[in-house]
């Protein structure tokens, strides 16, 4: 019932307005209701009554520029969408780069570990090489000593061979002397036998 009561608009003084539609009257048809220019969103600062609105709109530079501004806004909106896409792509690429960096860091850590292990192996190889060189030097010394001993043995063998030759010569001389001695003894025996024969003959003659 209250919505059907008649009221008067205090802005435009229009009467006999149903109370139930009063808000709609103010928002849509009140000639004195203060509204903004449609170009407010693109920079127009005009603010006035609805009955002045149409006249202002006809002369508003912002409204005349609206097609261009709308086009620019559309371009900006599209660019904003493109920027958002690029941001997402950049974020995705940044995440991928982060993963790649993590992988690179892990690979660097592995490389450093392998480098350390290689350094340790090189140290061991150097130590083994030094040990082999010492052993080679010792073997060289042993070889030199063996060669000296071999030369001494060869010299001793030559001396021994010479001594054997000398012994053989001495043995040959001894054999010759033995033969001569045996011959002399044989001659002496023969001489003794002849002397005995002579003695016997002399003894016989002396009888």
């Amino acid at each position: 019932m209250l919505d059907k009561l008649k009221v008067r608009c205090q802005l435009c003084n229009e009467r006999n307005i149903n109370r139930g539609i009063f808000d709609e009257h103010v928002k849509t048809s009140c000639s004195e209701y203060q509204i903004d220019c449609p170009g407010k969103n693109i920079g127009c600062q005009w603010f006035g009554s609805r009955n002045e609105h149409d006249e202002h709109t006809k002369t508003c530079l912002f409204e005349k520029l609206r097609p261009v501004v709308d086009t620019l806004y559309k371009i900006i909106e599209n660019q904003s969408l493109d920027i958002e896409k690029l941001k997402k792509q950049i974020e995705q690429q940044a995440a991928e780069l982060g993963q790649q960096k993590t992988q690179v860091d892990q690979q660097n850590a592995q490389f450093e570990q392998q480098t350390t292990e290689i350094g340790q192996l090189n140290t061991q190889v150097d130590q083994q090489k030094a040990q082999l060189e010492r052993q080679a030097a010792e073997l060289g010394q042993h070889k030199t000593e063996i060669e000296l001993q071999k030369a001494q043995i060869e010299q001793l063998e030559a001396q021994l061979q010479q001594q054997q030759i000398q012994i053989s010569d001495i043995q040959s001389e001894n054999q010759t002397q033995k033969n001569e001695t045996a011959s002399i003894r044989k001659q002496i025996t023969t001489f003794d036998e002849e002397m005995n024969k002579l003695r016997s003959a002399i003894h016989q003659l002396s009888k």
Side-chain angles (χ1 to χ4, degrees), residues 37-38 44 46 52-61 63:
C37 174
C44 182
W46 182 87
E52 297 174 347
H53 173 268
D54 292 340
E55 187 64 27
H56 166 74
T57 302
K58 292 177 182 178
T59 60
C60 180
L61 294 176
E63 279 299 299

Side-chain angles (χ1 to χ4, degrees), residues 80-98:
S80 297
L81 293 175
D82 292 338
I83 289 171
E84 289 298 323
K85 290 180 181 178
L86 289 174
K87 283 183 179 179
K88 290 181 180 179
Q89 291 177 357
I90 290 171
E91 290 175 355
Q92 184 177 359
Q93 290 175 352
E96 292 175 354
L97 287 174

Side-chain angles (χ1 to χ4, degrees), residues 1-7 16-21:
M1 294 292 293
L2 294 176
D3 289 341
K4 293 182 179 180
L5 292 175
K6 303 297 182 179
V7 296
N16 297 322
I17 302 172
N18 289 335
R19 186 176 181 278
I21 62 172

Side-chain angles (χ1 to χ4, degrees), residues 105-201:
D105 291 338
Q106 292 175 350
Q107 291 175 353
N108 284 334
Q110 292 177 355
F111 177 75
E112 290 177 357
Q113 183 178 0
Q114 291 175 352
T115 301
T116 302
E117 292 175 354
I118 290 172
Q120 293 175 351
L121 290 174
N122 285 333
T123 301
Q124 293 177 358
V125 169
D126 291 337
Q127 292 175 350
Q128 292 176 353
K129 182 179 178 182
Q131 185 176 0
L132 289 173
E133 289 176 352
R134 288 196 299 269
Q135 292 176 351
E138 292 175 357
L139 288 174
Q141 292 177 353
H142 290 322
K143 183 179 179 182
T144 302
E145 292 175 357
I146 290 171
E147 289 177 351
L148 289 174
Q149 291 175 354
K150 182 179 178 182
Q152 291 175 355
I153 290 171
E154 290 176 352
Q155 186 177 2
L156 290 173
E157 286 178 348
Q159 292 176 357
L160 180 61
Q161 187 176 3
Q162 186 176 3
Q163 289 175 354
Q164 287 177 347
I165 292 172
Q166 291 175 354
I167 290 170
S168 178
D169 292 339
I170 292 171
Q171 287 177 347
S172 179
E173 290 176 358
N174 287 336
Q175 186 65 37
T176 301
Q177 290 177 355
K178 285 181 181 179
N179 292 335
E180 290 177 353
T181 301
S183 177
I184 291 170
R185 285 178 179 175
K186 186 176 181 181
Q187 291 176 2
I188 291 171
T189 301
T190 302
F191 180 75
D192 287 339
E193 289 177 353
E194 290 179 354
M195 288 297 293
N196 288 329
K197 288 179 180 181
L198 287 172
R199 286 191 187 99
S200 295

Side-chain angles (χ1 to χ4, degrees), residues 4-18:
K4 293 182 179 180
L5 292 175
K6 303 297 182 179
V7 296
R8 179 177 66 86
C9 178
Q10 294 181 355
L11 295 175
C12 64
N13 291 321
E14 184 177 345
R15 298 175 181 275
N16 297 322
I17 302 172
N18 289 335

